[in-house]
């Protein structure tokens, strides 16, 4: 398979209203029909600005819960790989998670956010999965997962790339602007494609307001912007990528960003 079509979905989830968010996501999947891979934002099913573990527990579900099973059906019917941010309940713990649903899968592959941001630290348990890369031979691509604030840690994308990720997906609810400078660098420094699905809208809880400024984007392996959304619109962006081109890490006949590494001189 030569080209792979990737979509990022940008919208404003409604805090606490899972059925409404699911309905919005199903409608947006129609617009994403041409894509092989569809990436939704962080906590797309629930909204973001939780104030307590009790609030998360009220809407969290296991990876084989009702809503994710519904989305798994969509992945099967549509022959798409879906990546969806959701609050996960597992073994008495609460995770800010992303589910990767395969067309032929019967269970989600779940990544649990490694680096919790701001009040997430009060509401979720730190992720325990480590960084996951999923090999999808049917689509000839290896997909690595990270979530939002993980971008601040170059080790996250580097770990995924070293494990063979060719496309990194990053469901996000970004609230600062520095990421716009850094995400393309994560793509370039690892020679991978990077798809950032960010949300829009605002959430005000206990007198504190968060503003989410969209600008979802798909970056090429040399850091170029393949497509980028505006700040406010609900939209689906689609780009064609060629994962095979990321398999050699050379960028000229003598230089290779993996072969040239000197890990013996690095400190982690
Ligand atoms: C974030 O990690 N949601 C900023």
């Amino acid at each position: 398979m030569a080209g792979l079509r990737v979509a990022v979905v940008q919208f404003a989830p409604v805090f606490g209203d899972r059925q409404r968010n699911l309905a919005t996501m199903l409608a947006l999947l129609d617009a994403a029909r041409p894509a092989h891979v569809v990436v939704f934002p962080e906590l797309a099913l629930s909204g973001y600005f939780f104030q307590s573990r009790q609030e998360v527990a009220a809407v969290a579900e296991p990876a084989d819960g009702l809503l994710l099973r519904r989305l798994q059906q969509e992945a099967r019917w549509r022959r798409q790989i879906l990546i969806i941010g959701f609050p996960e309940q597992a073994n008495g713990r609460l995770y800010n998670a992303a589910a990767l649903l395969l067309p032929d899968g019967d269970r989600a592959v779940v990544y649990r956010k490694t680096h919790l941001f701001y009040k997430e630290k009060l509401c979720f348990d730190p992720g325990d999965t480590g960084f996951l890369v999923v090999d999808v031979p049917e689509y000839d691509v290896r997909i690595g997962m990270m979530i939002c604030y993980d971008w601040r840690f170059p080790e996250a994308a580097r770990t995924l790339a070293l494990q063979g990720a060719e496309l990194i997906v990053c469901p996000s609810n970004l609230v600062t602007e520095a990421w716009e400078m850094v995400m393309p660098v994560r793509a370039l420094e690892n020679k991978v494609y990077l798809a950032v699905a960010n949300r829009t809208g605002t959430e005000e809880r206990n007198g504190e307001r968060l503003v989410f400024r969209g600008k979802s984007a798909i970056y090429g392996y040399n850091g170029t912007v393949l497509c980028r959304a505006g700040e406010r619109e609900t939209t689906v962006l689609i780009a064609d990528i060629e994962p095979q081109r990321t398999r050699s890490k050379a960028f000229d006949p003598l230089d290779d960003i993996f072969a040239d590494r000197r890990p013996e001189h690095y400190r982690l």
Side-chain angles (χ1 to χ4, degrees):
M1 182 171 161
L4 186 78
R5 203 156 275 168
V6 180
V8 288
V9 178
Q10 174 171 300
F11 76 110
V14 178
F15 184 79
D17 195 339
R18 297 188 310 156
Q19 292 303 333
R20 181 157 165 194
N21 293 331
L22 177 65
T24 305
M25 291 163 69
L26 293 176
L28 289 165
L29 269 179
D30 283 337
R33 197 176 291 279
H36 303 104
V37 182
V38 186
V39 190
F40 286 89
E42 177 182 14
L43 294 174
L45 281 170
S46 61
Y48 178 74
F49 202 14
F50 293 100
Q51 303 293 300
S52 68
R53 290 180 68 86
Q54 288 81 356
E55 280 188 355
V56 177
V59 294
E61 68 169 298
D64 59 356
L66 215 58
L67 271 59
L68 282 167
R69 283 211 311 273
R70 176 74 184 82
L71 287 159
Q72 177 66 69
Q73 281 177 342
E74 293 294 328
R76 190 168 302 127
W77 291 334
R78 296 170 187 267
R79 306 303 303 163
Q80 287 176 317
I81 303 163
L82 306 182
I83 295 99
I84 293 154
F86 76 109
E88 186 198 13
Q89 187 137 213
N91 308 318
R93 294 180 180 236
L94 299 167
Y95 299 104
N96 181 341
L100 185 148
L101 306 171
L102 292 164
D104 293 317
D106 48 17
R107 239 193 110 76
V109 179
V110 176
Y111 166 64
R112 296 170 177 156
K113 189 174 184 180
T114 303
H115 304 99
L116 295 177
F117 176 72
Y118 193 48
K119 288 190 176 172
E120 293 170 34
K121 293 182 171 77
L122 312 176
C123 304
F124 293 96
D125 294 290
D128 59 357
T129 53
F131 295 100
L132 303 178
V133 176
V134 181
D135 188 4
V136 192
E138 184 186 352
Y139 291 126
D140 195 17
V141 64
R142 284 181 272 280
I143 302 176
M145 291 190 274
M146 61 184 200
I147 299 178
C148 203
Y149 182 52
D150 285 332
W151 72 264
R152 286 251 184 194
F153 304 85
E155 296 87 351
R158 173 52 55 96
T159 300
L160 289 168
L162 287 173
Q163 293 183 119
E166 297 156 356
L167 164 66
I168 294 179
V169 294
C170 187
S172 295
N173 280 190
L174 291 147
V175 291
T176 61
E177 284 169 11
W179 69 271
E180 287 180 67
M181 217 168 27
V182 176
M183 292 281 196
V185 178
R186 295 287 172 266
L188 175 134
E189 70 194 0
N190 292 294
K191 202 174 169 201
V192 293
Y193 292 93
L194 175 56
V196 181
N198 193 25
R199 61 163 291 176
T200 58
T202 60
E203 284 188 13
E204 186 159 347
R205 311 290 323 285
N206 287 342
E208 191 175 2
R209 185 176 156 90
L210 295 183
V211 182
F212 305 96
R213 292 201 173 82
K215 298 190 188 172
S216 297
I218 301 175
Y219 301 98
Y221 58 79
N222 51 10
T224 51
V225 177
L226 301 180
C227 53
R228 173 161 47 212
E231 285 192 22
R232 277 185 273 276
E233 76 258 29
T234 293
T235 188
V236 175
L237 301 179
I238 297 180
D240 288 316
I241 70 168
E242 295 179 88
Q244 303 79 5
R245 289 183 177 270
T246 69
R247 288 176 193 165
S248 158
K249 297 298 179 184
F251 63 92
D252 69 31
L254 290 180
D255 299 302
D256 180 305
I257 57 168
F258 276 13
D260 293 344
R261 294 174 71 242
R262 305 283 311 278
E264 67 273 28
H265 295 294
Y266 304 157
R267 282 183 63 179
L268 282 178

